[in-house]
Amino acid sequence: MSNTSALSGIGQDDLAKIMTLEQGKVLEEARGEVAYGAAYIEWFAEEAKRIYGDVLPSMSQDRRSLVIKQPIGVVGAITPWNFPVAMITRKVAPALAAGCSIVLKPATETPLSVLAIAELAQRAGVPSGMFNVIPGMNAVQIGEQLTGHSLVKKVTFTGSTRVGKILMAQAAQTVKRTSMELGGNAPVLVFDDADIDKAVDGALAAKFRNAGQTCICTNRILVQSAVYEEFLSKFTKKVQEFVIGDGLDKSSTMGPLITRTAVNGVSSLVEDALNKGAKLTTGTKPITDDSLESEVGFFYQPTVIRDADQSMRIAKEEVFGPVVPIFKFETDDDAIAMANDTEFGLAAYVFTKDQSRSWRVSEGLEYGMVGVNETAISSEVIPFGGVKESGQGREGSKYGLEDYLEMKYICLGDV
Ligand code: NAP
């Protein structure tokens, strides 16, 4: 474990600084994530008091039927780099609240934030052996151990759909319970009756947080034809105001991407869209590896693509960077069909002032979470999670504890 004296008096600002240095997001966002992550600890500490059992109607005079909830057992957890604090507390807090010990492997890129949290947990009195961190670059072997070991009873994972499927297949060999928080492809639907300024601000906030590297990021914006040009011009203007730079520099409003591979991935989606007829309203034309090295580093200019269509890779794939394609639609049914035309189903957002439309569209969207006239939808109080290939299980809220508990039926005879 890390050097205790070096962490003496560590607080929100220190954790935020560690996060910005290892992950890149701007300091203000990192501070926000620390608070968001801490909220899960408080929430589940309170929820631990509400793990209720049940007394059921008896089938006969001499019997009583009860249900008790017990900790599921040792939890194996694997987490990503994009939220190096919140993705950890979302798993560790409910595990400890349920009475489970947890063994957690953080992403290779961001081990320091979790080690700092583990140190704080130890100082706060979490008993030794309850919260264990295994940083390591051998993800495959660690994953095999966690999914294959007979003592581990549950595997919880946040990361890509590709890796989630591997872990589910491995965990199936010993029939472990799994929770999977996987990739997303969030659409923002802007209808012609929407408050366009509100839609611009909402889509913008949901797109560019963490330089576009969040699972509930705006991945696609679908705009009704009558307001397409108005939305596009207002949105583009605001995107041009971002200041890209070092996350520790107070003037920066957007930091770098996590790796050069990430920059290349985003760049290739842009190139594909432009080759198929889309146009840039602002941002970077595709850039080569050489120029990345010398001029751009891991930074990518915020980019808006107009005239996008369903034939483009960017319509189906998770962008995970500061690029957004804008599509046009005519009817509500078209918008719902386009929004659902993806294997992902994590978050979707709708902007309309029409109450009946907001109900109809929300019910038609195949997503685990829908924000209507709001894109800041996440908190410790709500059930966070997706459907389809975005995963299974929910984190946070009163539902988030159930995944860490086993239900046991007890029949008392001879009463
Ligand atoms: P990733 O490549 O799936 O990696 C996530 C974690 O899995 C890392 O700790 C990684 O370790 C580990 N890993 C990789 N291959 C593995 C294997 N074969 N066996 C066991 N573990 C393995 O995802 P990422 O690129 O870090 O994160 C981005 C993805 O996470 C996006 O798709 C995003 O949408 C998703 N995400 C989802 C949510 C949600 O709540 N639904 C939240 C945040 C992010 P190494 O780092 O050592 O390779």
Side-chain angles (χ1 to χ4, degrees):
M1 195 62 64
S2 47
N3 179 343
T4 305
S5 60
L7 283 162
S8 167
I10 192 167
Q12 182 181 12
D13 288 338
D14 306 287
L15 284 173
K17 196 168 173 193
I18 293 171
M19 195 191 309
T20 296
L21 285 169
E22 71 173 349
Q23 198 273 335
K25 67 180 65 177
V26 295
L27 201 53
E28 202 43 41
E29 282 187 31
R31 291 185 86 254
E33 187 188 330
V34 174
Y36 174 58
Y40 284 93
I41 299 173
E42 184 178 22
W43 174 265
F44 282 111
E46 292 290 335
E47 282 299 289
K49 300 174 191 165
R50 290 182 272 274
I51 301 175
Y52 297 111
D54 214 350
V55 181
L56 307 177
S58 291
M59 303 305 289
S60 64
Q61 294 278 348
D62 63 344
R63 291 191 207 166
R64 298 292 179 270
S65 302
L66 314 171
V67 169
I68 63 166
K69 303 275 182 74
Q70 293 181 300
I72 191 166
V74 178
V75 175
I78 301 178
T79 53
W81 48 264
N82 61 343
F83 286 91
V85 166
M87 296 304 108
I88 276 87
T89 57
R90 266 190 194 188
K91 299 182 188 308
V92 175
L96 296 181
C100 304
S101 60
I102 183 163
V103 182
L104 186 142
K105 187 210 108 51
T108 300
E109 289 87 357
T110 54
L112 302 179
S113 295
V114 65
L115 287 172
I117 297 174
E119 171 68 25
L120 291 174
Q122 209 168 44
R123 287 194 208 173
V126 172
S128 175
M130 289 297 286
F131 174 20
N132 309 279
V133 182
I134 34 170
M137 295 177 74
N138 44 350
V140 173
Q141 289 94 322
I142 296 173
E144 283 170 354
Q145 277 297 317
L146 291 178
T147 52
H149 201 289
S150 60
L151 275 180
V152 176
K153 301 299 181 200
K154 174 194 165 67
V155 173
T156 172
F157 172 71
T158 300
S160 63
T161 296
R162 181 188 71 79
V163 174
K165 288 177 182 178
I166 295 171
L167 297 174
M168 283 176 83
Q170 288 173 186
Q173 301 310 308
T174 45
V175 196
K176 294 190 197 315
R177 199 183 300 173
T178 56
S179 307
M180 295 284 147
E181 296 286 351
L182 309 177
N185 180 3
V188 176
L189 283 60
V190 182
F191 289 92
D192 54 14
D193 64 2
D195 178 332
I196 299 300
D197 293 326
K198 195 172 235 180
V200 165
D201 288 344
L204 193 87
K207 173 68 239 181
F208 294 101
R209 190 152 49 99
N210 199 15
Q213 303 168 110
T214 88
C215 53
I216 58 169
C217 256
T218 305
N219 212 54
R220 305 169 278 158
I221 302 178
L222 319 181
V223 186
Q224 202 153 19
S225 55
V227 292
Y228 187 82
E229 294 302 334
E230 180 190 355
F231 180 91
L232 196 65
S233 99
K234 287 181 168 171
F235 187 78
T236 300
K237 207 157 159 248
K238 290 235 166 150
V239 170
Q240 287 165 339
E241 291 169 8
F242 277 100
V243 179
I244 301 167
D246 180 351
L248 292 178
D249 183 337
K250 283 206 171 72
S251 62
S252 305
T253 55
M254 204 179 91
L257 299 192
I258 190 75
T259 56
R260 177 163 300 111
T261 309
V263 175
N264 290 341
V266 171
S267 190
S268 99
L269 287 175
V270 174
E271 187 173 0
D272 172 77
L274 297 185
N275 286 341
K276 289 176 180 159
K279 295 179 195 67
L280 298 180
T281 68
T282 187
T284 315
K285 289 229 167 67
I287 37 187
T288 66
D289 266 350
D290 290 349
S291 68
L292 280 179
E293 187 80 48
S294 55
E295 293 166 28
V296 193
F298 299 162
F299 294 96
Y300 199 95
Q301 201 72 32
T303 298
V304 179
I305 293 177
R306 64 167 297 157
D307 303 329
D309 68 44
Q310 293 300 101
S311 72
M312 298 166 187
R313 280 175 52 210
I314 204 161
K316 302 278 171 66
E317 296 179 29
E318 194 176 26
V319 178
F320 242 58
V323 172
V324 63
I326 309 205
F327 301 74
K328 197 183 281 181
F329 69 86
E330 300 297 335
T331 67
D332 292 23
D333 287 347
D334 290 344
I336 294 170
M338 282 167 76
N340 289 343
D341 186 15
T342 166
E343 73 265 26
F344 296 111
L346 191 57
Y349 310 99
V350 180
F351 283 87
T352 175
K353 287 185 195 150
D354 180 334
Q355 278 294 331
S356 63
R357 176 181 257 164
S358 61
W359 271 108
R360 276 197 321 274
V361 175
S362 297
E363 288 173 1
L365 289 169
E366 296 163 354
Y367 287 81
M369 299 175 285
V370 177
V372 179
N373 298 319
E374 184 56 78
T375 57
I377 58 170
S378 186
S379 87
E380 74 282 10
V381 175
I382 63 98
F384 192 104
V387 299
K388 294 164 74 177
E389 294 192 19
S390 286
Q392 50 175 232
R394 294 293 181 271
E395 291 189 328
S397 81
K398 64 177 180 178
Y399 306 104
L401 209 48
E402 292 298 321
D403 272 352
Y404 295 83
L405 293 166
E406 202 63 91
M407 186 186 294
K408 183 179 284 173
Y409 156 59
I410 300 175
C411 177
L412 297 181
D414 203 18
V415 174

